[in-house]
Amino acid sequence: MSLAACHSGPSAAERPTIWAVAIHGGAGTLDKQASPDKRGEYELALTQTLAYAKDHLARGEAAIDVCEAVVRMLEDDPHFNAGKGAVFNEKGEHELDASIMDGSTLRCGAVAGVRTVRHPISLARLVMEKTRHVLLAGDGAELFADGQKVERVDNRWFDTEARRQLLDEVLQERARTGALLPPDPRQTYGTVGCVVMDMHGHLAAATSTGGLTGKRWGRVGDSPLIGAGNYADAWAAVSCTGTGEQFIRHAVGRSLTARLQFGGQTLDQAARAIVFDTLQKDDGGLIAVDRHGNLAAVFNSQGMYRALADSAGRFTVRIFED
Ligand code: ASP
C-alpha cells in the first residue's frame, strides 16, 4: 500500500479549486525603529516572491514546484538567513539545512549541514525524488550533490558582512557572559519557508536555513526535520522559524496537522495553541495553510517576515503585528 493510501485525507470531492500561499523570511526581524528604507528592502523582497507565487499558482502550477521556486529565490537573497546571507556557525563557516514535502503523497526530502550547495532546497527535493531516503547529512549530502545537477559554490560565497558582525557580537558576548545565544532573540533567528495549496487541492511545504548564529559545528535544527520545522499532509502544510530545539521537542509541524486531523481544530486555533500555549515567548513562529486554503502566520517574537496571498484576492506583506 502506498504512503498516500495509508493516510486517510479528505476525499477528492471535498477539495477546493482555489489556491493559497504563505511565505516567511524568519522570526528574527529588524528592529521596529529601523529606517523605512531598510524595512522597504525586506518588504520588496517578500512582495516579489509573493507575486511570483501568485502568478504561478493562478496558472495552475503544482504546490511543490512553487514552494521550491520561492525558497530558491529567498536563498539567493542576502537579506535572509538561507543560502547567500546564511548565518555563521561558531567556526565561522556555513552549514545549511533544508527540507521539502509533498502533502498529497507524503513524499519528502531533506539535507542537513551542507556546505557547498547554492540551493539546498533543490538538493532536498532531489533526495526526495532520486533516493529512497528522507534525510542526507554532512559529507553524505555533499557526495550525493556531486552526482546531481546542482550548482556548487565555495562556502565563502555564502558570507555577508552583516552576518560576520553578528557572529563577532555573539562570540564576544559568549566570552563575556557564557551565554550561548545573543541576549536579543531577534539577532538569532532567520530561515525562509513557503507553504502552498494549489488549484488541484495539493499541499506542500519547503523550508531552508543557515540555522542559528554561532551554533555548534554539526548542530542540526528543526528545518530539515520532517514533522518538526517542516511538514505537509492532506490536512495542512507548515513551515516554522525560531529556536529549532523547541520546534523539534514539540514536533510542531506534525502536531499542527494532527490538531486538525484528530482534534477538530481550525487552522487558526491549532497554530495559536502551538505558538502561544506550547512554545515559549520569543521561540519564533510558523506559517501554515490548510486543505481549504485558510492561511495562518502566527509568532510569539517581535515580528516575522511574512507574505500571504490567495485566489480570493488577498495579497499582504507584513513584518510586525498587523
Ligand atoms: N529554526 C532554525 C533553526 O533552529 C532557525 C530559525 O528559524 O531562525 O535552525
Side-chain angles (χ1 to χ4, degrees):
M1 193 186 276
S2 74
L3 278 177
C6 293
H7 184 75
S8 69
S11 70
E14 285 177 75
R15 285 195 188 125
T17 52
I18 52 168
W19 57 263
V21 55
I23 295 168
H24 75 79
T29 58
L30 292 170
D31 196 85
K32 269 189 171 164
Q33 319 310 333
S35 70
D37 283 359
K38 198 77 205 148
R39 207 169 148 154
E41 288 175 24
Y42 287 89
E43 287 166 348
L44 179 65
L46 289 168
T47 303
Q48 285 172 341
T49 41
L50 189 63
Y52 172 94
K54 177 184 166 189
D55 288 351
H56 286 253
L57 287 168
R59 278 188 231 149
E61 208 164 284
I64 192 94
D65 293 334
V66 173
C67 279
E68 181 187 356
V70 162
V71 168
R72 281 177 67 98
M73 288 168 80
L74 295 170
E75 284 176 339
D76 275 345
D77 189 324
H79 289 96
F80 301 104
N81 172 19
K84 177 77 183 169
V87 298
F88 289 89
N89 65 14
E90 65 181 5
K91 286 174 48 168
E93 295 167 357
H94 308 278
E95 292 170 289
L96 311 174
D97 301 336
S99 67
I100 190 161
M101 185 160 191
D102 182 342
S104 57
T105 58
L106 299 187
R107 293 175 77 217
C108 47
V111 291
V114 297
R115 301 180 299 270
T116 64
V117 177
R118 176 169 173 175
H119 296 112
I121 197 65
S122 294
L123 190 63
R125 183 156 182 187
L126 288 163
V127 171
M128 172 176 108
E129 286 177 350
K130 300 267 174 71
T131 79
R132 55 189 190 84
H133 305 302
V134 167
L135 171 61
L136 293 179
D139 290 346
E142 294 283 333
L143 187 68
F144 173 65
D146 291 345
Q148 305 300 319
K149 288 199 185 81
V150 288
E151 189 175 340
R152 307 297 282 278
V153 291
D154 187 86
N155 194 253
R156 295 271 75 85
W157 183 84
F158 299 109
D159 290 6
T160 52
E161 201 33 51
R163 299 295 187 193
R164 170 74 66 189
Q165 263 177 30
L166 196 54
L167 176 68
D168 291 347
E169 284 166 29
V170 168
L171 294 183
Q172 276 165 23
E173 182 76 7
R174 193 175 291 176
R176 211 170 56 80
T177 65
L180 285 178
L181 294 175
D184 182 348
R186 280 170 306 183
Q187 296 178 303
T188 326
Y189 307 142
T191 294
V192 305
C194 180
V195 295
V196 167
M197 186 198 74
D198 67 22
M199 271 189 184
H200 318 287
H202 295 159
L203 297 161
T207 305
S208 181
T209 191
L212 302 180
T213 302
K215 67 184 179 181
R216 225 187 143 105
W217 182 66
R219 178 263 187 190
V220 174
D222 59 317
S223 308
L225 301 186
I226 298 296
N230 194 65
Y231 193 69
D233 59 17
W235 298 87
V238 195
S239 172
C240 304
T241 171
T243 311
E245 286 71 9
Q246 282 287 83
F247 288 80
I248 295 169
R249 267 180 205 111
H250 297 289
V252 166
R254 173 56 177 145
S255 289
L256 185 135
T257 72
R259 282 173 178 271
L260 272 59
Q261 184 176 4
F262 305 117
Q265 291 189 328
T266 65
L267 186 74
D268 192 58
Q269 287 168 340
R272 288 180 174 280
I274 289 173
V275 172
F276 297 118
D277 302 338
T278 305
L279 296 173
Q280 285 165 16
K281 176 139 181 52
D282 284 327
D283 275 347
L286 60 85
I287 53 169
V289 59
D290 71 11
R291 64 195 169 104
H292 305 296
N294 295 307
L295 292 165
V298 183
F299 51 95
N300 60 29
S301 42
Q302 180 186 254
M304 179 169 78
Y305 298 115
R306 61 201 188 280
L308 312 177
D310 64 26
S311 52
R314 180 173 189 171
F315 191 101
T316 54
V317 172
R318 298 270 186 281
I319 299 179
F320 304 107
E321 289 292 347
D322 288 332

